[in-house]
Amino acid sequence: AQTVTQSQPEMSVQEAETVTLSCTYDTSESNYYLFWYKQPPSRQMILVIRQEAYKQQNATENRFSVNFQKAAKSFSLKISDSQLGDTAMYFCAFSKGTYIGTDKLIFGTGTRLQVFP
Amino acid sequence: GAGVSQSPSNKVTEKGKDVELRCDPISGHTALYWYRQSLGQGLEFLIYFQGNSAPDKSGLPSDRFSAERTGGSVSTLTIQRTQQEDSAVYLCASSSGQGQSPLHFGNGTRLTVT
């Protein structure tokens, strides 16, 4: 069975600074995807960034980037130039398979990020 | 619609009553998922539909929980004889189920059982 672990229940960062959220996972699958989702108070889950396991290059999306260490089964999220709007719960998630949407997402327990002015 | 729509947004019910939660996925999305998020917790998988069939219903916590999907579109999650521990946010997500299309989530239904 696959598991996703987020060991930081809460994090805080000052505006314009950089913060890194940690995530580790366990799987015996060779094909899979990893995701970071953001959940603001509106409850809607918003996809921040995704990584295909077969790609060695770390994914980046504007201020968001990941450090994907496949051998260590680690998938951390780095937020650069933090903004007040980044305040939210962040969830790391895993999905096995070759295609997204053909199997369920398994989520970690989340990290609550607070960005201070 | 442009996104995944869930109704109602909030539901308060008395212990022992039955409730129905509705999910309208993005048009054309064949894959549909239900998740449960208890207060301060991560998302717990409940059931996955591909079209009208449910190849994975392993997350349904008890036989009080059931779900159906008709016409490959709207899905209803039914909880019978609700208990206080059923109080949670129930989130629905859909995907085209092909290629690299990610899951799109609705805003969820907050269920409170009193």
Side-chain angles (χ1 to χ4, degrees), chain B:
Chain B
V4 178
S5 177
Q6 291 188 246
S7 60
S9 179
N10 292 281
K11 175 73 176 178
V12 179
T13 191
E14 293 180 352
K15 178 182 173 182
K17 301 273 188 175
D18 297 352
V19 295
E20 284 189 354
L21 312 180
R22 177 186 170 107
C23 173
D24 250 301
I26 292 173
S27 178
H29 278 192
T30 59
L32 187 147
Y33 302 79
W34 284 99
Y35 285 85
R36 178 169 71 174
Q37 185 176 24
S38 301
L39 185 63
Q41 301 296 311
L43 277 71
E44 174 190 13
F45 167 76
L46 297 178
I47 188 169
Y48 157 55
F49 286 93
Q50 182 62 245
N52 290 338
S53 63
D56 189 352
K57 52 180 79 172
S58 62
L60 294 177
S62 76
D63 58 8
R64 296 186 296 104
F65 287 73
S66 63
E68 65 176 13
R69 188 178 185 195
T70 55
S73 181
V74 173
S75 176
T76 302
L77 177 69
T78 301
I79 309 174
Q80 296 178 310
R81 305 181 301 282
T82 52
Q83 304 294 313
Q84 288 187 331
E85 60 263 28
D86 299 334
S87 295
V89 174
Y90 290 82
L91 289 161
C92 175
S94 72
S95 168
S96 68
Q98 299 174 13
Q100 307 302 312
S101 175
L103 267 63
H104 297 264
F105 283 83
N107 286 349
T109 294
R110 180 180 297 282
L111 175 66
T112 303
V113 182
T114 61

